[in-house]
Amino acid sequence: NEEAEHKGWCDKELATNEHTRKEKTDSVETLRAEIDELTSSVAKLTEDVAELSKEVAELDEAVSKATSLREDEKAKNTQTIQDAMAAQSAVAQALTVLKDFYTKASEATAFVQQQ
């Protein structure tokens, strides 16, 4: 009788242990699959980061070139504005000289016609 009880207890413990072992094995397999998935994800994200870093470097270079070009154009534009202002001043002076000349010439012509 005691032997039968002990056998029953052993059978019960073996069944419980087998069930626990199966659960733990399933859990380990699930975790390994998750680790593989996450490792793959990390590798993909590392590639993405490398590519995006390269693209950022290319954009920085393009911005630098564009900024340099704009600065050159700004300097050229500033010089063009200064040249235009100098030309405008020269034209204004020339107009003043011409007005004076024609005013004096018309007075001289009027003076000659009166005689």
Side-chain angles (χ1 to χ4, degrees), residues 52-67:
L52 291 172
S53 294
K54 180 183 170 191
E55 289 176 8
V56 165
E58 290 171 358
L59 286 173
D60 286 344
E61 184 180 341
V63 166
S64 176
K65 285 180 181 178
T67 300

Side-chain angles (χ1 to χ4, degrees), residues 2-107:
E2 190 176 311
E3 204 173 295
E5 280 181 32
H6 186 66
K7 181 171 178 358
W9 179 82
C10 283
D11 289 343
K12 180 182 168 200
E13 286 299 312
L14 284 174
T16 302
N17 285 343
E18 185 179 343
H19 179 69
T20 302
R21 204 170 33 251
K22 183 170 177 8
E23 284 180 354
K24 298 292 182 188
T25 301
D26 289 346
S27 178
V28 166
E29 288 175 3
T30 301
L31 290 173
R32 283 191 180 149
E34 196 174 321
I35 287 170
D36 290 344
E37 222 178 278
L38 291 173
T39 301
S40 173
S41 185
V42 166
K44 173 75 171 103
L45 291 173
T46 301
E47 288 176 18
D48 290 350
V49 166
E51 181 152 340
L52 291 172
S53 294
K54 180 183 170 191
E55 289 176 8
V56 165
E58 290 171 358
L59 286 173
D60 286 344
E61 184 180 341
V63 166
S64 176
K65 285 180 181 178
T67 300
S68 176
L69 183 62
R70 279 193 297 275
E71 287 171 356
D72 291 346
E73 289 172 349
K74 180 181 177 186
K76 185 177 178 182
N77 190 39
T78 300
Q79 183 61 45
T80 302
I81 289 171
Q82 289 173 350
D83 291 348
M85 290 172 74
Q88 184 179 12
S89 176
V91 168
Q93 289 174 353
L95 283 173
T96 302
V97 168
L98 288 173
K99 282 180 185 177
D100 287 346
F101 174 77
Y102 284 114
T103 301
K104 289 178 183 175
S106 69
E107 288 174 4

